[in-house]
Amino acid sequence: MDGMTQGEQFHMFVDGQHKQAEESREVRDPATGEVIGLAPVGTRSDLDAAVAAAKRAQPGWAQQSDEVRAQACRKLANIIDDHSAELAQLLTKEQGKPLKGIGSEFELGGCSAWLNATAQLALPVEVIQDDDAARVEKRYVPLGVIGSITPWNWPLLIAIWHIAPSIRAGNTVVIKPSPYTTLSTLRMVELLAAALPQGVLNVVADGEGVAEGLTTHKDVDKIIFTGSTETGKKIMVAAAPTLKKLTLEMGGNDAGIVLPDVDPKAVAEGIFWGAFINNGQTCAALKRLYVHDDIYDEICSELAQLAETMPMGPGLDESNVLGPIQNEMQFQKVTRLASSSPTEGGRVITGGAPREGKGFFFPITLIADAREGMACVDEEQFGPLLPIIRFTEVDDAIRQANSLDVDLAASVWSKDIDRALAIAERLVAGTVYINKHGEVAPHIPFGGARYSSMGVEFGIEGLKSCTNIKVYNIAK
Ligand code: NAD
């Protein structure tokens, strides 16, 4: 370890115990630049040890009764609740999101809610034929070892989205968190793993050969990945020789269409948070806003008013509802998209340039007069910037909304629900929201169309995706 480093050392957790790393690196608070802790650097041999532990533990875990595994999910939910204050503080320091509002405490609440909801699911034996010829049963059996790869935007909630259905269905897990949010994931997973039989849940920090090891390992049966479409494609290639099952939740460049019958004041807040939840760093955030000409100026000015009055600052200060961008790479991307917009014909109505001083703070930025072909429209910004596109013909808005290939969700805003539903039918998306955007819930399947997703998460469909179907066909 570098003698100049400071801060608490965090550890990986493998086979029921801490695993020390030979090397560590500093992790900094995106709001202040201060060192908040030391992350271990994982290696291929750490990964191999974790996969071996998960493989050893899996048959015993699969043999536990369904009720034992349901009970384990409830126990993990209680552990999250008991440690939620500590985990929320750490998440805010590492990820940047505020403690309050739709921030860290909200994320931890989601973790325990998802675990409890997963405990309530069941996959009983289904009898699909029982007659003079045969009795045929369909059973859902675990896959084996599941590798989980998570992003940095909702790192703890997404880790639970992977872990909960995996272990509920009788699999064991090796998780590799994003290098940007290693500490909070390590801490949460060690608390959970210590409450499960040895080897059922393991966490290995990112490092050379770790991601590759997980996606190519012969003893890993499935990868659940949440992250960008480009990485998802690479994982699919890497996983091909070992024919791993895949659930890939990837990028979204979600469109929202606002019809002329809305009351701009009434819908502005819903649109604002649909776009700027977690500072826009949300897969299913509203990322392209199509507004009818009749109400265009009013919607722009309502959104600008909200943007200018929303407190943004360090997340540990409880008065802030928006924090910094999580990392420098993303900060540079938003800066590039904001600065290229005026040269491409866009009009910055608020924000537009990074805030001076410490931290990756970038004010909420609204780009009016945006058009297809502009970088901020065609690329997923994944940050506090929203292009607002004017339309007069709804057919043209639908065409533009469908013109990209990353369609996690879309929304239609109108007082006329039948009209909104008719538009919803023509939108390509995993979810179409009417008069809201971005809500997810443990009982509602979530996934996208085209390049956004492969498979769905949540609910019974999500649980089934952590299983194989095994048929018992008994002659009579
Ligand atoms: P990313 O793809 O850069 O990284 C995600 C994870 O993949 C990280 O853990 C990273 O270390 C790992 N990774 C990188 N290269 C890899 C490789 N070759 N093999 C295996 N793993 C590899 O994504 P990000 O920047 O962390 O997250 C932002 C993206 O995630 C956005 O596009 C966003 O829309 C998407 N996202 C999607 C969902 C969803 O549910 N669909 C949810 C959250 C975020």
Side-chain angles (χ1 to χ4, degrees):
M1 197 207 300
D2 180 349
M4 299 299 287
T5 52
Q6 46 175 311
E8 184 190 347
Q9 175 72 55
F10 287 67
H11 299 290
M12 296 178 275
F13 199 85
V14 172
D15 205 13
Q17 54 191 323
H18 281 140
K19 195 159 201 333
Q20 312 273 351
E22 281 175 19
E23 260 186 77
S24 294
R25 61 181 176 84
E26 290 178 338
V27 175
R28 291 176 186 274
D29 182 337
T32 62
E34 284 163 18
V35 175
I36 58 160
L38 299 175
V41 177
T43 62
R44 175 67 203 239
S45 93
D46 295 325
L47 190 265
D48 287 343
V51 173
K55 189 175 162 71
R56 273 194 305 277
Q58 199 273 326
W61 184 239
Q63 275 162 20
Q64 298 286 340
S65 72
D66 195 48
E67 184 43 40
V68 165
R69 291 199 300 267
Q71 191 52 37
C73 289
R74 285 190 277 271
K75 184 165 143 193
L76 300 191
N78 289 339
I79 291 171
I80 300 264
D81 290 340
D82 290 347
H83 292 83
S84 121
E86 173 207 340
L87 289 169
Q89 285 268 336
L90 180 58
L91 181 59
T92 289
K93 284 191 207 156
E94 184 179 44
Q95 206 284 339
K97 64 182 66 186
L99 268 181
K100 300 289 170 188
I102 317 171
S104 294
E105 290 176 2
F106 172 83
E107 182 163 349
L108 268 306
C111 291
S112 80
W114 248 271
L115 280 160
N116 279 320
T118 308
Q120 282 174 30
L121 299 173
L123 288 175
V125 175
E126 294 169 29
V127 177
I128 50 179
Q129 182 185 335
D130 194 10
D131 55 22
D132 294 345
R135 177 179 168 89
V136 183
E137 294 178 3
K138 183 163 75 171
R139 295 176 184 229
Y140 294 92
V141 298
L143 294 165
V145 175
I146 295 190
S148 151
I149 300 177
T150 50
W152 47 262
N153 58 341
W154 294 89
L156 301 187
L157 188 55
I158 292 173
I160 295 296
W161 290 353
H162 296 184
I163 294 167
S166 298
I167 62 164
R168 177 75 176 86
N171 305 283
T172 53
V173 177
V174 176
I175 176 167
K176 185 213 79 67
S178 166
Y180 294 115
T181 43
T182 305
L183 303 187
S184 43
T185 315
L186 289 179
R187 179 70 185 133
M188 179 181 78
V189 174
E190 80 171 6
L191 288 166
L192 303 183
L196 292 167
Q198 189 177 330
V200 168
L201 177 58
N202 309 274
V203 56
V204 177
D206 204 69
E208 210 183 321
V210 173
E212 193 210 347
L214 197 56
T215 52
T216 57
H217 204 296
K218 69 175 177 28
D219 291 333
V220 173
D221 299 281
K222 170 166 182 150
I223 296 288
I224 307 182
F225 163 77
T226 304
S228 63
T229 299
E230 283 319 304
T231 305
K233 289 182 195 172
K234 288 184 196 155
I235 289 175
M236 198 168 179
V237 171
T242 47
L243 283 175
K244 294 189 198 324
K245 311 274 187 289
L246 297 172
T247 295
L248 305 175
E249 290 297 348
M250 300 173 282
N253 195 345
D254 292 8
I257 298 180
V258 189
L259 299 185
D261 66 355
V262 301
D263 170 358
K265 260 199 195 331
V267 295
E269 199 163 340
I271 293 174
F272 184 87
W273 285 115
F276 297 115
I277 177 171
N278 201 29
N279 236 351
Q281 302 166 125
T282 297
C283 51
L286 207 173
K287 293 175 183 142
R288 294 175 285 151
L289 186 66
Y290 296 87
V291 180
H292 192 274
D293 187 41
D294 289 357
I295 45 156
Y296 188 87
D297 293 333
E298 269 179 279
I299 290 278
C300 286
S301 87
E302 290 294 336
L303 291 176
Q305 261 181 47
L306 284 168
E308 282 155 16
T309 51
M310 216 50 86
M312 177 184 280
L316 290 179
D317 175 342
E318 295 188 3
S319 57
N320 290 322
V321 293
L322 291 164
I325 291 177
Q326 202 277 327
N327 58 65
E328 186 167 9
M329 173 265 304
Q330 200 57 37
F331 181 76
Q332 297 301 352
K333 180 174 188 186
V334 173
T335 305
R336 169 175 63 80
L337 293 175
S339 64
S340 71
S341 292
T343 55
E344 294 174 294
R347 179 166 51 93
V348 176
I349 52 177
T350 186
R355 197 192 268 182
E356 295 206 343
K358 273 197 278 183
F360 300 131
F361 287 100
F362 201 102
I364 296 288
T365 295
L366 299 172
I367 312 285
D369 299 339
R371 285 189 315 274
E372 57 189 329
M374 285 174 59
C376 69
V377 176
D378 292 0
E379 282 183 47
E380 183 191 12
Q381 67 276 46
F382 211 61
L385 179 151
L386 181 68
I388 310 176
I389 304 117
R390 192 190 299 265
F391 74 87
T392 47
E393 298 300 326
V394 79
D395 283 353
D396 189 42
I398 295 169
R399 179 195 61 76
Q400 292 188 52
N402 288 340
S403 66
L404 304 177
D405 52 19
V406 275
D407 326 279
L408 217 39
S411 56
V412 185
W413 303 75
S414 173
K415 283 184 184 153
D416 182 344
I417 302 300
D418 288 339
R419 187 161 182 225
L421 284 171
I423 294 171
E425 234 175 84
R426 298 171 61 195
L427 289 171
V428 184
T431 303
V432 183
Y433 298 99
I434 311 280
N435 294 326
K436 56 178 167 177
H437 197 115
E439 181 189 282
V440 290
H443 61 294
I444 303 174
F446 178 72
R450 296 189 280 191
Y451 286 27
S452 275
S453 241
M454 177 160 295
V456 291
E457 295 187 279
F458 312 162
I460 207 71
E461 289 86 354
L463 187 61
K464 282 183 181 173
S465 78
C466 296
T467 65
N468 259 335
I469 288 178
K470 187 173 182 187
V471 171
Y472 287 20
N473 192 334
I474 309 152
K476 279 199 181 160

